[in-house]
Amino acid sequence: MTPSPSISPSDDPWALLRSTTQARIGLGHSGHAMPTAHVLAFRADHAAARDAVHAELDLDALAASLRAGSGPGRHSNEPIVEVASRATSRGEYLRRPDLGRRLRADDVDRLRTIRAGAPSERDPDLSIVLCDGLSSTAVATHAAPFLRAVERALGPGVELGPLVVATQARVALGDEVGGALGSRAVLVLIGERPGLSVPDSLGAYLTFNPEVGRLDSERNCVSNIRPPHGLSYDAAARTIAALFGAARALGRTGVDLKDPTELDPGKALA
């Protein structure tokens, strides 16, 4: 993302307000056109958004970032399970959203084999899936530190499934992953559709009892995870942990489940 053009407040009365938001406000004009600096900034941000949509996720770099950082996460020393949707290319993924919602058949079998060979007799309480979605930039930038924040917020009592990284993937693909792993719930961390000033926003979708055919109304979403301009990692992780705890008590996610962190404790479940 390109910073907004620097214009002195003495020259531009909108400059102070513009410095408080990434929205394009009070851009002014030069004759009958926009000022050149703002036109160039718009084109640069548009290019960044297009790059975020079309770029392939660098799996090696993501794996390295998951193992690095300020402290070890619960997935740090475990192998990452890489899967892909039925879309065979980035172009097909963008043209055929339906293919991005389903796993390749051999990946379904592989996940079932992993479940059968798991050392624990207990199925996972929660499986976490990192999906490139419509912004691999968001996943590359935020997935590793946010995953650690989620692990800390959930605490040691939650049995986690193997970490899955899915390419050419949409949110609903997590349902098939969670179902194959026998997970009680699935958390999908996915790159959101870029805006013209926000190419790196990460979304988190929680679905209880995941299986193919779940509706979007059966999920809870925490969006715009992208410090410092969006939601912080710790704040988003606390909300996810609270939603997960409430979902276990209620037995479902979606429109019936409200964010307990914003409700009176006695009204945590709607």
Side-chain angles (χ1 to χ4, degrees):
M1 183 184 63
T2 300
S4 298
S6 177
I7 300 176
S8 167
S10 61
D11 300 328
D12 179 4
W14 283 88
L16 180 60
L17 291 176
R18 195 181 300 116
S19 69
T20 66
T21 176
Q22 292 183 288
R24 288 181 165 80
I25 58 173
L27 301 184
H29 60 88
S30 178
H32 296 292
M34 289 176 59
T36 301
H38 292 302
V39 172
L40 295 176
F42 178 88
R43 290 179 178 176
D45 289 346
H46 187 216
R50 289 178 59 87
D51 286 348
V53 169
H54 290 279
E56 301 279 353
L57 182 62
D58 187 333
L59 294 173
D60 292 337
L62 178 62
S65 67
L66 289 169
R67 293 186 171 85
S70 57
R74 291 166 64 180
H75 286 107
S76 295
N77 298 317
E78 299 176 359
I80 296 169
V81 182
E82 296 178 5
V83 300
S85 76
R86 297 182 183 180
T88 57
S89 67
R90 195 66 180 167
E92 187 176 48
Y93 168 77
L94 295 173
R95 292 191 303 272
R96 293 283 306 274
D98 56 318
L99 296 180
R101 299 185 182 109
R102 296 298 305 273
L103 274 173
R104 295 184 306 198
D106 56 341
D107 282 336
V108 176
D109 294 339
R110 191 154 57 94
L111 292 174
R112 288 173 176 161
T113 299
I114 291 172
R115 178 190 182 187
S120 174
E121 296 181 356
R122 176 182 166 188
D123 281 332
D125 297 317
L126 180 69
S127 292
I128 300 177
V129 186
L130 308 184
C131 298
D132 51 2
L134 290 171
S135 174
S136 58
T137 301
V139 178
T141 305
H142 302 297
F146 181 56
L147 178 63
R148 293 190 188 92
V150 170
E151 292 171 340
R152 289 194 299 270
L154 289 171
V158 177
E159 182 81 11
L160 296 178
L163 181 63
V164 177
V165 177
T167 51
Q168 319 296 10
R170 306 234 176 210
V171 172
L173 183 132
D175 298 338
E176 197 161 16
V177 172
L181 292 173
S183 182
R184 195 72 188 283
V186 66
L187 177 65
V188 171
L189 308 183
I190 189 168
E192 296 179 329
R193 185 187 304 276
L196 281 174
S197 59
V198 182
D200 64 338
S201 180
L202 190 73
Y205 292 79
L206 179 67
T207 308
F208 203 72
N209 284 336
E211 60 182 7
V212 174
R214 285 289 181 204
L215 304 174
D216 288 341
S217 59
E218 296 176 293
R219 317 183 197 284
N220 289 86
C221 174
V222 177
S223 65
N224 196 31
I225 303 166
R226 51 181 298 271
H229 300 291
L231 200 57
S232 73
Y233 299 141
D234 286 339
R238 284 195 299 270
T239 300
I240 290 294
L243 285 169
F244 176 67
R248 296 175 84 180
L250 186 64
R252 59 185 180 274
T253 45
V255 295
D256 292 333
L257 176 65
K258 306 305 178 186
D259 179 1
T261 63
E262 295 185 354
L263 298 174
D264 181 275
K267 300 177 181 177
L269 303 181

